[in-house]
């Protein structure tokens, strides 16, 4: 008789756990933000799409041999600027060399910490090694902050989950 009462109380205990919020252990969810509109000048946004008060801009770009590996031919050399960013903990954005159809030929993430400050802005330069340099029509930035590194449900089912930046841009992505 005692066993019947104990087992009868089990469903009630589970309902109480669920209602108290303790069930979050079983309902951890990861979501991915939508990729924003790429451009030569973008307002950087957080994972919920809110502007962070930072702009990132491609100042210029050109095809030329990299000075350390000139034998590899032309690569995309681009300069970028962050306005309103903190050089130590500022947001990061993906920079992509694109063709005339805005298809990514090569992408990488750029950070304010890689830039040098001058007159309140942070200007840096980098290189993108594309397979067919003659196809490059421009360099675009994707406005989503890629610096957020929140825990996923897989890494930590108790404290993980939530909104994460979109996957980094890859070769072949339409921007």
């Amino acid at each position: 008789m005692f066993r019947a009462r104990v087992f009868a109380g089990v469903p009630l205990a589970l309902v109480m756990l669920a209602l108290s919020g303790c069930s979050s252990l079983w309902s951890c969810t990861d979501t991915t933000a939508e990729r924003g509109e790429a451009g030569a000048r973008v307002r950087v946004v957080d994972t919920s799409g809110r502007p962070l008060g930072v702009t990132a801009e491609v100042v210029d770009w050109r095809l030329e041999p990299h000075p350390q590996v000139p034998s590899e031919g032309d690569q995309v050399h681009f300069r970028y600027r962050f306005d309103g960013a903190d050089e130590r903990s500022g947001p990061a954005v993906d920079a992509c060399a694109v063709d005339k159809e805005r298809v990514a030929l090569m992408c990488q993430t750029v950070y304010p910490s890689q830039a040098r400050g001058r007159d309140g802005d942070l200007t840096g330069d980098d290189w993108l090694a594309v397979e067919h340099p003659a196809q490059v029509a421009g360099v675009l930035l994707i406005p989503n902050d890629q610096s957020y590194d929140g825990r996923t449900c897989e890494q930590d089912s108790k404290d993980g989950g939530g909104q994460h930046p979109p996957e980094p841009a890859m070769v072949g992505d339409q921007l």
Side-chain angles (χ1 to χ4, degrees):
M1 176 111 168
F2 177 71
R3 278 186 171 166
R5 286 186 187 169
V6 169
F7 288 123
V10 169
L12 180 60
L14 289 175
V15 168
M16 290 177 65
L17 279 173
L19 292 175
S20 70
C22 294
S23 67
S24 65
L25 179 66
W26 296 301
S27 66
C28 183
T29 57
D30 288 313
T31 56
T32 303
E34 281 193 39
R35 185 178 292 161
E37 178 75 24
R41 185 173 198 274
V42 297
R43 291 175 43 185
V44 183
V45 297
D46 65 13
T47 57
S48 65
R50 287 187 300 257
L52 295 174
V54 175
T55 58
E57 178 179 12
V58 175
V59 177
D60 68 11
W61 69 273
R62 61 188 167 279
L63 296 175
E64 63 185 6
H66 191 287
Q68 295 176 341
V69 285
S71 62
E72 292 183 9
D74 283 345
Q75 295 182 19
V76 179
H77 184 204
F78 69 100
R79 288 187 335 114
Y80 59 91
R81 177 176 56 233
F82 284 95
D83 290 314
D86 178 347
E87 70 181 277
R88 282 174 258 134
S89 62
V93 295
D94 286 339
C96 299
V98 297
D99 67 12
K100 64 182 178 177
E101 306 293 325
R102 295 174 61 108
V103 173
L105 302 171
M106 179 60 70
C107 298
Q108 70 181 38
T109 305
V110 292
Y111 299 83
S113 61
Q114 297 169 310
R116 294 169 292 287
R118 186 180 75 217
D119 298 330
D121 67 13
L122 297 167
T123 305
D125 71 307
D126 218 325
W127 296 82
L128 295 166
V130 297
E131 191 171 337
H132 302 288
Q135 293 180 346
V136 177
V139 176
L140 299 178
L141 302 173
I142 300 172
N144 303 88
D145 178 11
Q146 290 291 337
S147 68
Y148 174 74
D149 187 29
R151 310 280 298 164
T152 64
C153 292
E154 186 176 293
Q155 294 166 326
D156 187 345
S157 62
K158 181 175 177 263
D159 297 322
Q163 187 85 335
H164 300 281
E167 291 295 319
M170 305 289 289
V171 172
D173 286 357
Q174 178 75 45
L175 304 181

